Amino acid sequence: MGLDQIALIFLGALAGGLVNGLTGFGTGITAMGIWLHVIPAPIAASLVIVCSVVSQLQTLPMIWRAIAWRRVLPFVIPGLLGVPVGTWLLPMIDQASFKAGIGAFLVAYPSYALLRRPGPGSAIGGSAADGTVGLCGGVLGGLAGLSGVLLVVWTDIRGWDKAQRRSVLQAFNLTIVVAALVSHAASGLLTGPVGLATLAALPGTIGGAWIGTRIYRRLGDRQFQQVVMGLLLVSGLTLIWSSL
């Protein structure tokens, strides 16, 4: 592994860790576009999952008391069922089309969310809709460590405040990425190259998450929503650009 590869892996991990520490999700959508320039997609997908687990565990004590398990479980249980499906799909997916599709979604919804006026959330669909979002999030988690993408949009639609959103996102994401890590290990995807990339990434992940948590504590509800949507928008544009 060359110095240019190590540098980009570290920078991607630093950015992903910062976003994860700030929002409770986002390692994949932040780091993947950087990492895919220097490592193959299957290695990048496993690296996203490893770094996500590290940063989620690092920041978990900050939000532990805010987790309402009755709100979280309708997402988590279906999400766990979706993880092996995503892992199974990983070798079959067309990476360019996948990135372009996810990128387009991450441009469209945040653009709408940032332009609209703040208003009450919607309880549409109830627990059944929550479970469907959780299932799809699990599939994306097993596929590319992107378990938080759909959930962050859904918590915005629900209109939850900063603490509610962060606690649901982090509890869900931690559960899904741990399951995805086990699934990748069982499928033989945690190879030697993944281990080498992890060594280059971990310092950035840990340092970035530490910085992100300190910024999070300074944000109000509206600021948190704007930061999250802005990050999704930038990530969507990055994924589209990297798919060309």
Side-chain angles (χ1 to χ4, degrees), residues 77-161:
I77 295 172
L80 288 172
L81 298 176
V83 170
V85 177
T87 304
W88 175 70
L89 288 172
L90 179 59
M92 310 176 196
I93 207 78
D94 179 76
Q95 292 297 320
S97 299
F98 175 73
K99 289 188 289 181
I102 295 294
F105 175 74
L106 292 180
V107 169
Y109 183 84
S111 297
Y112 156 74
L114 289 169
L115 292 172
R116 75 173 184 222
R117 292 182 178 180
S122 171
I124 186 171
S127 295
D130 293 345
T132 301
V133 172
L135 176 65
C136 295
V139 172
L140 288 178
L143 183 61
L146 299 176
S147 57
V149 168
L150 295 181
L151 201 65
V152 71
V153 170
W154 192 245
T155 57
D156 186 67
I157 292 172
R158 287 292 193 234
W160 293 337
D161 64 27

Side-chain angles (χ1 to χ4, degrees), residues 16-28:
L18 190 152
V19 170
N20 206 316
L22 174 59
T23 65
F25 77 100
T27 299

Side-chain angles (χ1 to χ4, degrees), residues 12-50:
L14 181 66
L18 190 152
V19 170
N20 206 316
L22 174 59
T23 65
F25 77 100
T27 299
I29 59 175
T30 306
M32 184 70 84
I34 299 173
W35 288 342
L36 287 175
H37 289 289
V38 291
I39 54 178
I43 294 175
S46 294
L47 184 60
V48 163
I49 291 168
V50 173

